[in-house]
Amino acid sequence: MSRYTLYYWSAPFRGQFVRALLAHAGATWVEAGDAAVTRLMEGAIDDMPVPFMGPPVLVDAEAGLTLSQTPAILLYLGDTLHLLPKTAAGRALSIKVANDANDVIDELTLDGGRQMWTESRWAEFAPRLKRWMGLWEDLGRRHGLKPQSGFLLGGETAGVADVVTATLWSTMAERFPLIDAMLEESAPLTTGLVRRMAQTPPLAELAARARADYGDLYCGGRIEQSLREVLEAQAPADRTTGPRR
């Protein structure tokens, strides 16, 4: 029996951060499945293993703990799987990266699909997305990140910040070539880190599994459809080559 059970949709969106951290640490987990997620969300609050509005939810059977909220789960796994820096500053910066990643995907999906993407909305947002990429780039640069070596917060080994960074940008870039090109142009140091991390056996295997299980799906629904439409409309003018791996 696996120690961990993950309640998340069959998609490589927010829950992929949790999957990636578990995979990186060599931990195994069980996916509860979409029907179980729906039952929990539609059931009474006092029947929930932890009060929550939406997944991911992670159950640690060995510890008798259930958590919701992605950054809280990543903090817990980082602590218990020894993937956080030893200093208070390093730990805080790691969770800052996790929260930034959460913000990026919220913005990319227009707050969970409250609106749909149009060409004009994307034109307004693209500079902001590049600025997000620049934030990663500068954080890495300040901690000694190099094009072909180093980690986002320095140190000798990859941790929560590196796994989250790789998962955020590689999952997105693989499914949206225009964003892949934007990342390479706006954040070459981050691009190098993302590709190095994505090639590690645990994360490469996880990405292959996601491709097999979910295909091209990213977040799903009409919001993904509208995002694909605006990006595909720009592709002939804005991209001359395909994504580089």
Side-chain angles (χ1 to χ4, degrees):
M1 179 178 178
S2 287
R3 171 175 177 173
Y4 303 102
T5 300
L6 177 63
Y7 287 81
Y8 194 70
W9 308 116
S10 299
F13 190 52
R14 207 180 306 274
Q16 200 72 357
F17 296 122
V18 181
R19 295 177 181 124
L21 210 58
L22 288 167
H24 176 76
T28 60
W29 70 96
V30 173
E31 299 271 347
D34 293 356
V37 174
T38 300
R39 282 196 302 272
L40 280 185
M41 291 182 65
E42 293 178 350
I45 293 175
D46 57 6
D47 289 335
M48 292 177 171
V50 64
F52 77 102
M53 287 298 290
V57 170
L58 183 73
V59 178
D60 181 346
E62 185 175 304
L65 177 69
T66 302
L67 279 174
S68 63
Q69 293 289 1
T70 307
I73 295 170
L74 298 180
L75 172 62
Y76 174 72
L77 289 176
D79 260 336
T80 56
L81 298 175
H82 310 293
L83 295 173
L84 286 171
K86 296 186 183 301
T87 67
R91 292 158 64 83
L93 281 172
S94 297
I95 301 309
K96 169 253 196 303
V97 172
N99 279 281
D100 281 350
N102 233 14
D103 286 349
V104 169
I105 62 176
D106 279 344
E107 291 191 12
L108 191 70
T109 56
L110 291 172
D111 195 20
R114 289 183 183 274
Q115 295 177 301
M116 296 296 110
W117 283 109
T118 62
E119 290 190 29
S120 61
R121 284 195 182 112
W122 179 261
E124 292 177 4
F125 175 67
R128 182 174 175 87
L129 181 57
K130 291 179 181 179
R131 185 171 178 83
W132 272 117
M133 294 170 177
L135 298 186
W136 256 268
E137 189 77 348
D138 195 62
L139 183 63
R141 184 182 294 111
R142 294 184 190 196
H143 290 88
L145 184 63
K146 303 298 182 186
Q148 297 181 7
S149 64
F151 299 103
L152 191 69
L153 301 179
E156 300 297 323
T157 59
V160 169
D162 306 289
V163 174
V164 167
T165 297
T167 304
L168 171 69
W169 297 115
S170 67
T171 304
M172 196 184 302
E174 183 180 352
R175 286 156 179 79
F176 305 109
L178 181 62
I179 295 179
D180 186 34
M182 288 172 63
L183 182 67
E184 185 166 16
E185 177 184 356
S186 303
L189 299 179
T190 306
T191 299
L193 173 64
V194 168
R195 291 176 179 167
R196 291 194 302 276
M197 290 294 300
Q199 289 169 4
T200 62
L203 296 190
E205 181 181 342
L206 181 68
R209 194 187 320 156
R211 176 63 69 183
D213 290 346
Y214 316 130
D216 288 333
L217 185 70
Y218 181 61
C219 59
R222 292 176 57 229
I223 184 60
E224 180 174 338
Q225 180 181 349
S226 71
L227 177 61
R228 289 188 179 279
E229 287 172 356
V230 297
L231 293 181
E232 289 169 5
Q234 294 189 46
D238 290 356
R239 192 178 77 249
T240 57
T241 60
R244 283 160 282 186
R245 295 285 167 224

